[in-house]
Amino acid sequence: MPSPNQESATLTIGDLARRTGLSVSAIRFYEEKGLIQPHRSRGNQRRFLRSDIRRLSFALIAQRLGFTLERIATEMAHLPQGRAPTQADWTRISGGFKAALDARIATLERMRDTLDGCIGCGCLSLDRCALYNPADRLAAEGPGPRLVLRDEPLPARGVSQ
């Protein structure tokens, strides 16, 4: 809890809203989810550290990249409380996000590159299915668009795996 001298260095919820562009209710939501942890003033008002601006900004960016609040909260739990995260802290936390983004990018690239071709759904309705999925061999991998969902690249046309 900040001392009376430190209280002037903290932000009110309104100040934090202005700095982050979030509504007060959104800040309370993120607080409820454990992404930020305000202290209480002597008058029982929420007081936020300046480092909470970065925490909320990070959460907003991570959400925009498609990460769930649960995943964001899990990663942010490794950040120190009571001080601004350092570059090393941010580098460590971003490593897991980078790996997940790389996997998502690879999937999106496969989808883009095969958008006009077979997606390996097992329908066997396209003339090309005999090339991509002869005898519906992809059914053994499970339902759905197997060629797009797999981790390795698509096979060359006419080459069976």
Side-chain angles (χ1 to χ4, degrees):
M1 181 154 177
S3 69
N5 292 340
Q6 290 173 315
E7 260 189 40
S8 62
T10 60
L11 303 169
T12 66
I13 196 167
D15 292 335
L16 189 58
R18 279 186 290 284
R19 293 293 306 273
T20 61
L22 291 167
S23 67
V24 169
S25 62
I27 292 170
R28 288 186 184 124
F29 173 78
Y30 286 121
E31 176 188 351
E32 183 181 302
K33 296 296 180 183
L35 299 180
I36 53 175
Q37 298 174 359
H39 303 283
R40 294 288 179 164
S41 70
R42 288 185 176 165
N44 203 29
Q45 295 176 328
R46 288 177 175 87
R47 292 289 187 249
F48 297 88
L49 298 174
R50 291 191 181 279
S51 60
D52 288 331
I53 296 169
R54 286 184 187 227
R55 288 173 188 272
L56 289 173
S57 296
F58 181 81
L60 291 171
I61 292 167
Q63 278 185 285
R64 185 162 284 186
L65 292 173
F67 292 100
T68 64
L69 279 178
E70 180 178 86
R71 170 77 189 271
I72 295 165
T74 298
E75 294 295 331
M76 289 181 70
H78 301 291
L79 292 175
Q81 290 296 325
R83 72 165 171 83
T86 64
Q87 182 63 45
D89 294 326
W90 287 121
T91 299
R92 187 176 59 252
I93 196 173
S94 68
F97 283 101
K98 285 180 183 177
L101 288 172
D102 287 342
R104 193 175 308 156
I105 289 168
T107 299
L108 288 170
E109 286 176 341
R110 280 193 306 276
M111 290 171 62
R112 178 202 61 211
D113 294 346
T114 60
L115 198 56
D116 63 343
C118 179
I119 59 173
C121 63
C123 69
L124 297 177
S125 64
L126 296 174
D127 292 338
R128 290 194 215 164
C129 284
L131 296 175
Y132 280 109
N133 189 18
D136 198 19
R137 64 177 162 63
L138 292 172
E141 293 184 24
R146 304 317 310 163
L147 291 177
V148 173
L149 296 177
R150 65 173 29 152
D151 291 331
E152 64 269 5
L154 293 173
R157 289 186 186 191
V159 177
S160 60
Q161 290 180 311

